[in-house]
Amino acid sequence: MKNHKLKNVFREGAITTEFIANSIAKHQVKTSIGAHNIFLGQVRADEINAKKVAAIDYTAHEDMANHKFHEIREAAFLKFDLTCMHIYHSLGMVKSGEICLFVFVSSKRRKEVFPAIEFIVEEIKLKIPVFGKEIFEDQTHQWKVNS
Amino acid sequence: MMITIKYFGLLAEVTGCRSEKMNFSCTTISDLKEILFQKHKVLKNKKFKIAQHNELNTDKTKVTSSEIALLPPFAGG
């Protein structure tokens, strides 16, 4: 089993399209890769009781979350034949329409990356202690729960 | 022993605190919950999980860390 370092997955604020583009560009030198797959989680402007979600303010148990992200990475590397994997999650305010989760997996072949990304995203939803305060346009709020 | 209780998300909001220290001599998570319910009655009708050493615990788990985290439902992604 490869022994990967514990990484800090969190980024302050939204994950920008520039950041995502740069991440993709960095892989052009890794020419053994034949397939990438990307998942982008976007803040949805849900309408609840006639009020629209304007943003989500994310907080986390960062230490535990980074450990759990590490476990998910290690499990995914064991389960699938991946060349590399990157996970980034936002903390703080992310407006509706902006990206709050970026998962990027790469492999020699496409058949690995489809199930891998689904596995990783489902594990994140289930196991990562991240909390989301949905801020409505009128500045009232409610706490989001993953369904 | 002195332990630090950390409240996250909704739980920090309803208890009005993110972190507090308390003297604790009980042994299990279940014992600890009883003390916390007395201190913060609002916790009784809230869903949450308890973690120490970065792992989720059950009621029967022994308290071995000086830092305990109360985690409301997850909302990542």
Side-chain angles (χ1 to χ4, degrees), chain A residues 1 4 6 9 64-80 82 85 87 103 105 116-129:
Chain A
M1 184 168 141
H4 299 92
L6 190 70
V9 162
M64 178 174 169
N66 278 317
H67 275 89
K68 291 289 163 195
F69 273 121
H70 182 76
E71 285 175 16
I72 293 169
R73 280 171 56 81
E74 293 296 295
F77 271 116
L78 270 181
K79 223 171 149 71
F80 306 99
L82 299 176
M85 179 191 327
I87 307 173
V103 183
V105 294
I117 208 115
E118 187 172 5
F119 169 79
I120 295 162
V121 173
E122 292 306 318
E123 287 283 284
I124 290 171
K125 295 266 178 191
L126 196 65
K127 294 182 177 169
I128 302 297

Side-chain angles (χ1 to χ4, degrees), chain A residues 2-145:
Chain A
K2 289 181 196 172
N3 220 342
H4 299 92
K5 270 195 306 185
L6 190 70
K7 292 182 178 180
N8 179 20
V9 162
F10 293 108
R11 291 286 176 277
E12 196 57 42
I15 295 160
T16 63
T17 48
E18 290 80 8
F19 183 85
I20 296 161
N22 280 334
S23 244
I24 298 166
K26 278 181 198 161
H27 288 73
Q28 289 173 343
V29 293
K30 297 187 178 181
T31 49
S32 68
I33 293 171
H36 297 299
N37 199 5
I38 284 173
F39 176 86
L40 300 174
Q42 176 169 296
V43 173
R44 200 173 46 228
D46 272 347
E47 214 173 297
I48 304 156
N49 300 328
K51 291 196 287 187
K52 221 182 228 178
V53 172
I56 296 182
D57 185 9
Y58 286 105
T59 52
H61 184 329
E62 289 183 53
D63 189 34
M64 178 174 169
N66 278 317
H67 275 89
K68 291 289 163 195
F69 273 121
H70 182 76
E71 285 175 16
I72 293 169
R73 280 171 56 81
E74 293 296 295
F77 271 116
L78 270 181
K79 223 171 149 71
F80 306 99
D81 185 16
L82 299 176
T83 313
C84 57
M85 179 191 327
H86 303 274
I87 307 173
Y88 299 98
H89 199 294
S90 294
L91 279 184
M93 291 290 245
V94 183
K95 292 180 199 150
S96 59
E98 291 183 329
I99 303 298
C100 56
L101 172 64
F102 171 31
V103 183
F104 185 7
V105 294
S106 312
S107 175
K108 278 186 181 168
R109 302 185 186 283
R110 72 185 182 284
K111 289 208 167 161
E112 297 295 319
V113 297
F114 294 117
I117 208 115
E118 187 172 5
F119 169 79
I120 295 162
V121 173
E122 292 306 318
E123 287 283 284
I124 290 171
K125 295 266 178 191
L126 196 65
K127 294 182 177 169
I128 302 297
V130 166
F131 316 103
K133 192 176 174 180
E134 291 178 313
I135 318 279
F136 296 109
E137 285 168 338
D138 65 359
Q139 296 304 307
T140 57
H141 71 268
Q142 72 164 24
W143 291 88
K144 179 177 175 259
V145 177

Side-chain angles (χ1 to χ4, degrees), chain B residues 58-70:
Chain B
T58 67
D59 280 355
K60 288 179 182 169
T61 311
K62 281 189 177 165
V63 175
T64 56
S65 172
S66 58
E67 193 180 295
I68 304 288
L70 266 68

